[in-house]
Amino acid sequence: MNRITQKLQEDKKILSIYFSAGYPNLNDTVQIIQDLEKNGVDLIEIGLPFSDPLADGPTIQASSTQALKNGMTTQILFDQLKNIRESVKIPLIIMGYFNPMLQYGVEAFCATCAEIGIDGLIIPDLPVDVYADEYKAIFEKYGLINVFLITPQTSDERIRFIDSVSNGFIYMVSSASVTGSQSGFGNTQESYFERISNMNLKNPQIIGFGISNKETFNQATKFAKGAIIGSAFIKHLSENGSAKISEFVGEIR
């Protein structure tokens, strides 16, 4: 069974952390993953840096740009992660844009992910229809879960289609803004969370964008299986390097 599926079956709220591979320093990636697991994080999203990150706010964009300047590439990330399963047991997801995967070769990319123990992918700019028609069979061949995003503007019909082709969780974007651009959730967002919760989808939802502390984590997980923290963790890395990860996670849980 895929590690993501196993984790989602646990009777707990999932804390997922996102960071850009190769940031703050090129070779920090593995240490950060190990420290996050050691401190009780349930799932990790490893950002594959890209030069034109459409959905990312300034914090994640800056970390992605720095990671590219540090020399991070798809192949270097794979090389860094090749022995990751000797020390890390929790689910690992690579999150990135489709262009680098296309350049690498979609099947070759998926095969390498499976070989090193990656459990799933999040590709914000790969439309679900294109995935279902052209790539689903490849992902399934290598046992990879593909995670799709929904927003407050996604129609119920499209959400149900995404739910039908998904086999892990649905990444529920809390608002239409870019990452890291808000703090706290208002009534509009809470009613959106509740509306999706009441749709009784087969895949659980994990909420991202706007979660930065214990309060927003608890607010989001009232209606969903878990929540994702990205920009706030990257700010922590930019201020502290890869030290003090235990303090950051301790303040959420």
Side-chain angles (χ1 to χ4, degrees):
M1 186 190 291
N2 186 289
R3 292 179 196 88
I4 297 169
T5 311
Q6 284 180 303
K7 182 58 71 174
L8 292 168
Q9 289 175 356
E10 292 180 14
D11 184 21
K12 66 185 295 194
K13 296 297 185 180
I14 301 294
L15 171 59
S16 178
I17 297 281
Y18 168 94
F19 75 99
S20 299
Y23 179 84
N25 303 299
L26 180 63
N27 294 314
D28 286 341
T29 311
V30 170
Q31 187 65 56
I32 290 171
I33 293 169
Q34 290 169 337
D35 287 352
L36 286 170
E37 181 182 50
K38 201 184 303 171
N39 287 287
V41 169
D42 300 298
L43 193 155
I44 297 171
E45 294 169 22
I46 306 158
L48 178 59
F50 182 54
S51 54
D52 189 20
L54 304 173
D56 298 323
T59 302
I60 291 178
Q61 277 194 21
S63 69
S64 187
T65 301
Q66 185 58 52
L68 291 171
K69 282 182 185 166
N70 291 345
M72 179 52 74
T73 63
T74 303
Q75 190 57 56
I76 286 173
L77 177 59
F78 283 150
D79 290 344
Q80 288 180 348
L81 297 177
K82 68 182 177 198
N83 299 315
I84 194 69
R85 286 302 172 195
E86 292 174 10
S87 59
V88 173
K89 303 288 181 278
I90 62 172
L92 300 175
I93 294 176
I94 289 181
M95 182 169 185
Y97 293 89
F98 195 47
N99 190 282
M101 298 176 195
L102 209 51
Q103 287 181 346
Y104 196 89
V106 177
E107 180 146 12
F109 190 95
C110 290
T112 306
C113 283
E115 191 182 320
I116 63 181
I118 297 298
D119 304 290
L121 299 171
I122 302 173
I123 313 165
D125 59 340
L126 176 60
V128 63
D129 325 64
V130 176
Y131 167 75
D133 292 343
E134 298 181 31
Y135 300 110
K136 190 169 188 278
I138 297 173
F139 278 61
E140 289 176 350
K141 176 180 174 183
Y142 294 101
L144 294 169
I145 284 175
N146 195 21
V147 177
F148 292 97
L149 285 71
I150 63 170
T151 74
Q153 285 69 43
T154 310
S155 69
D156 285 8
E157 182 187 12
R158 188 131 183 109
I159 290 169
R160 293 207 182 277
F161 178 60
I162 286 170
D163 191 42
S164 74
V165 301
S166 299
N167 61 343
F169 65 89
I170 291 172
Y171 188 130
M172 197 167 145
V173 175
S174 66
S175 76
S177 60
V178 294
T179 55
S181 60
Q182 62 188 44
S183 57
F185 300 119
N187 292 337
T188 307
Q189 284 159 316
E190 287 218 347
S191 61
Y192 157 59
F193 297 162
E194 199 165 4
R195 174 172 72 84
I196 304 302
S197 177
N198 290 337
M199 287 180 75
N200 296 314
L201 303 172
K202 73 178 173 77
N203 291 279
Q205 300 89 59
I206 297 184
I207 297 176
F209 291 45
I211 293 113
S212 58
N213 52 30
K214 191 182 188 72
E215 182 193 358
T216 44
F217 178 79
N218 290 339
Q219 217 178 343
T221 54
K222 190 170 140 191
F223 300 100
K225 177 64 178 172
I228 300 156
I229 297 177
S231 296
F233 180 63
I234 288 171
K235 279 179 191 163
H236 177 83
L237 287 177
S238 67
E239 289 162 12
N240 301 284
S242 54
K244 300 189 180 175
I245 285 176
S246 61
E247 287 178 23
F248 181 86
V249 179
E251 286 172 9
I252 311 294
R253 275 270 157 86

